[in-house]
Amino acid sequence: MLHRLARRRTRAVALTVAGLVLTLTAGTSGAAPAEPAAPAAPASQGAWAVPRPVTASATTAVPAAPGSATPLSGYAIQSTAKVADTAETVSSPGYPATGWYPAGPRSTVLAALLAAGVHPDPFHSTQQELIPAADFSVPWWYRADFTVADTTARTHLDFSGVISAADVFVNGRRIAATGSVAGAYTRHEFDVTALVRPGTNTVAFRIQPNNPRKHLTMGWLDWLQPPPDENMGIVRDVTVRRAGPVALRDAHVVSTLAMPSMATADLTVKARLRNDSDAPVTATLSGTVGPAPGPGPAPSPAPGPRQSPAEGADAIFARSVTLAPHETRTVAFSPAEHPALRLKSPRVWWPAGMGGQPMYALDLTAAVAAAADGTAATGVPSDTVHQPFGIRDVRAPLNADGARRYEINGRPLLVKGGGWSPDEFLRWDPTYTEDRLKYALDLGLNTLRLEGRIEPDEFFDLADRYGILTLPGWECCTKWEAEFNRDGAGERWSAADHSTARASMAAEAARLRHHPGVISFLIGSDAAPDEEIERGYLDALKAADWHAPVIPAASDAASPLTGRSGMKMTGPYDWVPPAYWYDKREGGASGFNSETSAGPDVPTLDTLRRMMTPAELETLWKDPAAVQYHRSPSATFDTLQLYDTALAARYGAPASLEDYVRKAQLAQYENVRAQFEAYARNAKDSSAPSTGVVYWMFNSGWTSLHWQLVDSYLDQGGAYFGAKKANEPLHVQYGYDDRSVAVVNNRPGPAAGLTARVTLFAPDGTQKYDRTVTGLTVAGGGGVHRSALTLPETVPGLPTTYLARLLLTDATGHEVSRNVYWLSTEADVLDRERSDWFHTPTTSYADLRGLNSMARTPVTATASTTADDASGTSTTTVTLRHAGTGGTPALLTDVHLVRASGEPALPVRWSDNQVSLWPGESATLTATYRTADLRGSAPRLRISGWNSPTVTVPAA
């Protein structure tokens, strides 16, 4: 804990200094608006690097139908330093906004400028430093028009996601000031009925500059070089809502699943009815609960009312309520009053791999019994709500060792997760997000942790659909923890900050509570809140009917009301050897490690050449002490010194950039694999079992050299395939601590009749040891392991560097797991007593330099491709064959799907990759991808390996 806080102190100083430098050296760009941008490539191909078209000038048409909720389609934005007109003029219809920049419906200032081509690609080289930070030290205007034909319905402005604060104007009138519209997560609703006129209307936001050390917003800490605008802008939808005299708000379902039988589920439906008129109103609130259409959440409805479908509903209910003028009342429907709300044999939501992901839908309609003027009118819809939700039971008790242990629907779950990062400029792209979520599933991960920067609603809809668990929470070390983390960078709270924090918690709880994939909220990260702040959070969560566990911190901390966190944050965050993960101390495989990894993850050569200049690439492999802009702004993490020293000591000094990247992929494969394997093997231990691990991180928000299993262009290297191998459903693995060979079953059902074989080889392929164990049975339930055998301490004739091939076959002789290790008789030696918050020193290194002596071994391939026009996807099947005549294996053979230009076609999901083959062996792999990502090219496969020459073969 103290080490972790020291880390934050270090990076806080670095960020503060960086901010001062940017402020002192920045000027005003004065750039003119660019010409309309050319159409961009798909986001999965790194489209953030080129201007992206936005539709900001179009006026948003708002229907009159009660229950409609229409997001503004975009904005025109401009710095207040360049606008001399008054706020009343700027926010009035007809204002020309000449020379303003277009911005999308969710956009930071800098994201809009990048889309307009004002600044060069900040993901390449150090070009982000060319963007003047002074441009964002003054407020910016966001201006949008919307049209209303019928003003008889009431009109409300509903929004959140303002960074950092804003004055809000409608048709020349200020309706809110920065004192009330503050905080990235607070939600605001304003009745603008009296201001709205037929025809064109204008809403304008005067957005204040952001500073995450001063405001309860979003920051980046040591994740990446912070954007010069600090993400100031509007990053969630601003919605115009229409309703009759009675508004329907806060509709949700509280579900209680009968455990352990899961035979029934009690549903309590709640909603607030608000009379916005000056007269008493009698309203009938009616609703249904039933299965949601499709495999996941229903698509967002088109503007207009949603009718409550009775057909196929599990429950139908209604009640009349009389409301006094401007009265708000909460209405609840319980199973005691409406027995249909006690569902029999409910469709239970499960994480991926444990069951299905069915969703339910709540539909409510508030209809008025009399018009506002007193004339007779029966059943006139006033407002409607459609709310998907899931039914599941989640608990997270502390085990006997004090570690947090999650249980989903009564079944224990080993959390295998990764830290999630949004795009650095908070640009939202649903396809890009979905691609990354599919990658998480492909890696066998079941959980993603969001430390602050909590994504929009669609992210959680997708996570629910795919069965991915999420752990959202507040971020560390900025303003969010300033009152109780004295080592952070944030300023102390005012009374207004306490109010903003409570409002933020209330808004996020109401937004996330219906998502079955959300299994906790972490109200602290590096530290736990004090009693005043914690009570504010807990009161807000209780008022929102939050039923998932509340975790006080991601570190080993305790809060006054919630108690112990049951998590640890002991690192490492920089290089350690694979054997590190097996020792049950510091970051090793015991308890719940909320964020940890061996630090650097050097991407593929394709990605490196896209993100760095030739001179920077030369420095990358030649100078370990050089500051790497694409690593971190933190002085602790701004070089690759520890990583490069270990790489050279273990594998030999790199001879070229290509050799450096080749060795990096091998090193990252073995290290990431060991991290996940150690936690999986120790999950069922009788003492100090592992209960969860979150790889820090799953992805990066920009082009990075560390903390990523997949890079920003969605390319896959050693770290990716090391994780995929470790987390395969039925897996055979080696223990670096005790030389054991174990079978880990990550599937729900048992596996019997298994055969495990381990063979040790010299690098030239000479066999030195071989043993087979038959008749193995491994119980089901996930994370269950069975030891098959233990390798002897010494093997006659075994060289210093050797290979271990582990094979697992089922009762029919079919190979279900193949796992190859490169090992040394000289172990990595750790100085545990000198461990600090980010790593444990290594005093001597394993000698793997013998791999450099492996003979060049060709691998041949035959491939074919089939296209599915209906889904727009293609599948390429490739069979690799060891084509050498000697005994040397082909180690870590990688296959990349490429276009005719040689550029990778991404994203792609491989059945397996980076495989190792011995003479006479072959392997058949499949790749699935969007046909359009070939960009009209015929598919080709680039095949390379540790000791195999690179060849490219057709795959059409």
Side-chain angles (χ1 to χ4, degrees), residues 202-580:
T202 299
V203 57
F205 296 81
R206 186 163 55 199
I207 305 291
Q208 298 299 310
N210 184 41
N211 184 330
R213 293 158 290 286
K214 296 176 179 292
H215 310 301
L216 291 170
T217 54
M218 302 179 189
W220 287 101
L221 308 170
D222 53 6
W223 293 19
L224 45 71
Q225 299 291 347
D229 72 338
E230 296 278 16
N231 294 132
M232 70 181 297
I234 302 176
V235 298
R236 293 181 181 171
D237 287 339
V238 174
T239 302
V240 181
R241 303 181 68 167
R242 308 300 301 279
V246 174
L248 187 54
R249 298 291 184 267
D250 198 33
H252 62 284
V253 176
V254 180
S255 64
T256 303
L257 183 63
M259 296 299 299
S261 69
M262 294 186 288
T264 62
D266 283 357
L267 308 182
T268 299
V269 176
K270 292 186 177 183
R272 283 188 289 110
L273 289 176
R274 186 183 68 213
N275 181 7
D276 289 329
S277 74
D278 295 327
V281 175
T282 297
T284 299
L285 180 61
S286 60
T288 64
V289 168
S300 299
R306 288 292 301 246
Q307 299 301 320
S308 301
E311 184 177 353
D314 290 304
I316 303 172
F317 43 87
R319 180 180 304 161
S320 292
V321 180
T322 299
L323 300 170
H326 303 289
E327 178 186 1
T328 298
R329 187 183 306 177
T330 297
V331 179
F333 300 92
S334 69
E337 300 171 291
H338 302 272
L341 290 172
R342 176 162 292 157
L343 302 185
K344 297 179 180 179
S345 301
R347 302 164 72 239
V348 176
W349 187 96
W350 290 91
M354 297 176 70
Q357 292 78 46
M359 296 290 289
Y360 283 84
L362 167 69
D363 284 277
L364 291 177
T365 297
V368 294
D373 60 3
T375 60
T378 303
V380 178
S382 183
D383 207 352
T384 64
V385 167
H386 174 79
Q387 181 65 73
F389 67 97
I391 298 174
R392 57 91 176 98
D393 181 87
V394 56
R395 303 179 190 188
L398 301 180
N399 67 9
D401 300 295
R404 191 70 60 177
R405 180 181 182 233
Y406 280 86
E407 299 173 358
I408 308 296
N409 301 328
R411 286 172 50 183
L413 176 81
L414 172 65
V415 168
K416 293 185 291 185
W420 176 269
S421 174
D423 168 69
E424 178 181 4
F425 307 107
L426 304 183
R427 294 170 290 193
W428 173 254
D429 186 311
T431 300
Y432 186 47
T433 301
E434 189 168 7
D435 287 338
R436 286 177 290 166
L437 291 177
K438 288 179 179 178
Y439 268 8
L441 286 182
D442 186 52
L443 291 179
L445 303 183
N446 54 31
T447 306
L448 294 170
R449 180 181 167 215
L450 291 77
E451 185 194 355
R453 306 154 206 85
I454 305 174
E455 291 277 36
D457 296 339
E458 294 94 328
F459 172 88
F460 296 96
D461 289 341
L462 287 167
D464 289 344
R465 179 182 305 169
Y466 288 114
I468 299 172
L469 304 173
T470 55
L471 294 171
W474 305 129
E475 68 188 47
C476 85
C477 313
T478 56
K479 182 78 168 187
W480 285 101
E481 290 191 346
E483 280 296 284
F484 50 87
N485 181 352
R486 298 292 184 260
D487 293 288
E491 296 183 0
R492 300 293 295 271
W493 286 20
S494 65
D497 292 321
H498 282 272
S499 177
T500 298
R502 290 191 297 270
S504 299
M505 187 74 266
E508 288 303 279
R511 189 173 73 94
L512 300 177
R513 63 192 166 195
H514 64 276
H515 289 285
V518 178
I519 57 170
S520 278
F521 199 95
L522 280 70
I523 57 175
S525 180
D526 285 30
D530 61 31
E531 185 170 358
E532 179 183 4
I533 293 173
E534 182 184 22
R535 190 175 299 281
Y537 287 152
L538 295 180
D539 287 348
L541 288 161
K542 182 180 179 181
D545 290 321
W546 182 269
H547 277 193
V550 178
I551 310 299
S555 63
D556 183 10
S559 61
L561 303 176
T562 307
R564 302 298 309 179
S565 71
M567 294 187 174
K568 66 179 183 179
M569 192 184 280
T570 48
Y573 298 91
D574 212 323
W575 192 86
V576 291
Y580 172 94

Side-chain angles (χ1 to χ4, degrees), residues 757 759-762 764-770 805:
R757 180 185 179 188
T759 313
L760 305 184
F761 301 89
D764 65 1
T766 304
Q767 182 174 307
K768 299 297 182 180
Y769 176 87
D770 187 58
R805 184 185 65 191

Side-chain angles (χ1 to χ4, degrees), residues 662 665-667 669-670 673 718 721 820 822 889-895 913-917 944-948:
R662 181 178 72 121
Q665 302 314 312
L666 208 65
Y669 187 106
E670 64 163 343
R673 175 179 59 181
F721 290 112
V820 176
W822 37 102
L891 182 63
L892 220 66
T893 301
D894 177 89
V895 187
N913 209 329
Q914 299 198 347
V915 297
S916 299
L917 300 173
S944 60
W946 172 259
N947 60 319
S948 299

